Amino acid sequence: MIRSFKLINRNILLFSRGNKFFTTTNNSNIKNNQTQFIKKDDDNNTIELSDELKASIKLEEQKKIVKEVMEKPQSSKFLKGDVLLEGVKSDGSSLRWYKTADMCRTEPENPDQGYYPLIDDRKMRTPSNHVIITPSKEIAYAVAAEWRAQEKYIKPSRLPITQTIITCLDIRPEGRFKIIGEFINHLATDPICNREQNDSKLKKLQNELYEPILQFANEYYGIPFSISTHLSISKHPKELLDKIEKHLHSMNNWELVCLQLISQSSKSFLVALALYYGRLRLDNLYQTIALEEEYQSETWGKIPFGHDLAECETHNEIAPPLFMLRNMNPIPLPK
């Protein structure tokens, strides 16, 4: 009967029987990785063990290893290190492998350094191997909530804040210049700076909805924007464009990317600024950015559920970056 045993490591088990000590080892050089049973007498001579004793030793070894793995899952090599999000498939076929999602401070003594969203108490890394650190605890909690809400499969479409953060962290310097260039180029066709040529109901609606946003933008940058009519483009002063470009360069990646995402969905950089500063209400957002579509639908009719679905999609696209912008430090003012 085996009186005591001790697991030296995953491959060696030391146990005692009477005054004799035995070891079992897993030798990778042996065919089929079979267990070797070794017994030494007082003269250090090897003695063959009985089949019954071999079976007893092997059973105790297996029980001990299984117990160790079950009690300490973190000892497994698959549960060590940070979570690399590159492994999550974009088609939503990745199984949920984790149990918990939470957050913690990067430095408990200095919370201003940021916060880590955690999966099974492990930090997350972007596909470019950047550790995800959020500038506020609200954003970290939102990321944890997204991952906690995942069910059997991980759906990237239901991780909008996580995807926005990945874009903010993985963007390269040339990507920043491209975003700023797009902002400047699209100002010429910004709908807030365009009006219908002839007096009509549409022009009255444009003046009613667009004029407050335009006045705010003029005051914000201190230089008036040019207004175009019909199909012409707006020719803004070069001094204004240079000031806007300088302002965009003063923003960090988080602020720049979030403004870009809002501008893409709203089709207007000026709408994005007005929305961020609270000069445009969310309940008036879709009516402002889809003014011409809504005007045409009154004449020709609406597609059943089509406009409602488009409004929901627009709000879903704008909500994550707007939430992030409003839970970070204020964006720098133009100089």
Side-chain angles (χ1 to χ4, degrees):
M1 178 179 179
I2 298 176
R3 296 183 180 179
S4 64
F5 57 87
K6 178 181 179 183
L7 187 70
I8 299 177
N9 58 41
R10 195 170 296 276
N11 296 321
I12 302 175
L13 178 69
L14 174 66
F15 65 96
S16 63
R17 183 177 184 185
N19 296 327
K20 303 294 183 180
F21 291 91
F22 305 87
T23 62
T24 65
T25 62
N26 285 337
N27 191 339
S28 59
N29 295 325
I30 298 179
K31 186 178 181 180
N32 298 329
N33 198 26
Q34 295 177 345
T35 302
Q36 283 186 309
F37 297 91
I38 304 171
K39 175 183 176 183
K40 301 290 184 178
D41 58 13
D42 296 337
D43 297 330
N44 202 30
N45 297 321
T46 302
I47 303 175
E48 182 68 21
L49 300 182
S50 64
D51 294 339
E52 181 182 357
L53 183 57
K54 290 179 181 179
S56 175
I57 295 171
K58 194 168 185 179
L59 179 62
E60 293 294 339
E61 177 185 10
Q62 293 173 349
K63 288 182 178 179
K64 186 66 177 180
I65 293 175
V66 170
K67 183 179 179 182
E68 178 194 12
V69 173
M70 294 299 293
E71 291 180 351
K72 298 181 179 181
Q74 66 273 14
S75 62
S76 172
K77 65 181 181 180
F78 299 105
L79 299 179
K80 291 183 179 179
D82 301 336
V83 178
L84 186 60
L85 298 183
E86 186 180 14
V88 179
K89 297 179 180 179
S90 59
D91 60 358
S93 61
S94 297
L95 287 170
R96 172 172 172 166
W97 71 88
Y98 58 92
K99 293 185 177 180
T100 62
D102 209 338
M103 57 77 66
C104 72
R105 294 177 178 175
T106 54
E107 295 182 14
E109 299 82 8
N110 189 5
D112 294 335
Q113 294 297 321
Y115 297 81
Y116 290 126
L118 303 175
I119 293 180
D120 284 342
D121 295 327
R122 293 181 293 155
K123 294 177 288 186
M124 292 186 283
R125 287 185 178 270
T126 68
S128 295
N129 207 33
H130 294 114
V131 178
I132 294 182
I133 302 177
T134 64
S136 69
K137 64 180 179 181
E138 290 81 7
I139 299 177
Y141 274 126
V143 174
E146 285 184 343
W147 287 89
R148 199 180 297 124
Q150 299 295 312
E151 298 178 349
K152 183 178 179 180
Y153 293 96
I154 301 175
K155 304 292 185 182
S157 60
R158 299 179 182 177
L159 299 168
I161 297 179
T162 303
Q163 293 191 49
T164 303
I165 292 174
I166 291 175
T167 304
C168 295
L169 294 175
D170 286 354
I171 188 172
R172 297 181 178 181
E174 56 269 25
R176 279 183 57 90
F177 284 103
K178 182 178 179 181
I179 291 175
I180 294 173
E182 290 176 351
F183 272 126
I184 301 300
N185 293 333
H186 290 167
L187 282 173
T189 56
D190 195 301
I192 302 301
C193 301
N194 183 269
R195 298 290 187 274
E196 186 70 12
Q197 188 173 7
N198 301 319
D199 290 335
S200 62
K201 183 179 179 180
L202 177 58
K203 187 174 182 178
K204 292 180 181 179
L205 290 174
Q206 289 175 335
N207 290 332
E208 178 184 347
L209 296 176
Y210 291 171
E211 198 61 31
I213 299 175
L214 184 62
Q215 290 298 326
F216 162 72
N218 291 337
E219 296 173 2
Y220 187 74
Y221 284 107
I223 303 174
F225 285 78
S226 298
I227 296 180
S228 60
T229 57
H230 199 45
L231 298 178
S232 61
I233 62 175
S234 302
K235 297 180 180 180
H236 303 295
K238 186 178 185 304
E239 182 184 0
L240 174 62
L241 298 179
D242 292 341
K243 190 171 185 178
I244 295 175
E245 184 176 1
K246 184 178 179 181
H247 180 217
L248 294 172
H249 277 294
S250 68
M251 300 180 187
N252 60 36
N253 290 348
W254 295 70
E255 297 159 348
L256 190 64
V257 169
C258 288
L259 273 180
Q260 181 208 27
L261 294 175
I262 298 174
S263 300
Q264 285 179 344
S265 298
S266 64
K267 306 178 183 68
S268 170
F269 171 62
L270 303 186
V271 167
L273 280 179
L275 194 60
Y276 170 70
Y277 284 104
R279 298 302 183 97
L280 176 63
R281 292 173 54 91
L282 286 173
D283 51 0
N284 292 331
L285 173 62
Y286 188 74
Q287 182 183 3
T288 301
I289 64 179
L291 177 60
E292 292 189 18
E293 290 89 334
E294 291 294 310
Y295 174 76
Q296 294 294 337
S297 65
E298 292 181 1
T299 304
W300 304 104
K302 292 185 177 182
I303 301 174
F305 304 106
H307 290 76
D308 295 333
L309 181 59
E311 182 176 359
C312 290
E313 289 178 348
T314 301
H315 285 169
N316 287 338
E317 292 172 358
I318 289 177
L322 182 61
F323 166 80
M324 292 174 57
L325 274 179
R326 290 183 172 176
N327 285 279
M328 297 188 294
N329 292 330
I331 63 175
L333 295 173
K335 297 180 180 179

